[in-house]
Amino acid sequence: MEIIEGRAFPRPLITQKEKVNPMKTKVNQDLCIGCELCTNLCPAVFRMNDDDKSEAYTNPVPAGEEPACRSAADSCPVGAISVTED
């Protein structure tokens, strides 16, 4: 019970909110060479933009796509992809 101004109220049930994936990714446009390796490894996160460079269009990374996202970052030949986890 919670007491407010001398009156007792039942405490509301606290429900666990849906867990948000803390993984985010970013492509450095100055480094990207447009090889499309990341878009092939993780199309749920990366796509090619109008400048023929990769971009991360889904942030945070969708649940279940973390391994593919890490693989894309690790495989980038110029190290243009950064991955962060809060």
Side-chain angles (χ1 to χ4, degrees):
M1 296 297 248
E2 186 173 348
I3 308 297
I4 301 174
E5 297 181 4
R7 298 177 70 192
F9 294 91
R11 290 184 186 238
L13 289 175
I14 299 173
T15 58
Q16 185 176 4
K17 291 183 179 180
E18 185 177 325
K19 194 172 184 180
V20 176
N21 190 349
M23 180 183 278
K24 294 183 181 179
T25 188
K26 184 177 180 181
V27 178
N28 182 325
Q29 298 294 295
D30 294 329
L31 294 178
C32 181
I33 58 173
C35 71
E36 298 186 36
L37 184 58
C38 60
T39 60
N40 290 320
L41 290 172
C42 190
V45 174
F46 302 101
R47 67 180 174 198
M48 300 305 287
N49 63 21
D50 292 337
D51 296 326
D52 291 326
K53 301 216 176 177
S54 175
E55 66 181 3
Y57 71 98
T58 306
N59 266 314
V61 174
E65 295 296 327
E66 300 91 346
C69 186
R70 283 190 197 97
S71 178
D74 292 342
S75 300
C76 180
V78 294
I81 302 170
S82 61
V83 176
T84 57
E85 295 187 55
D86 295 335

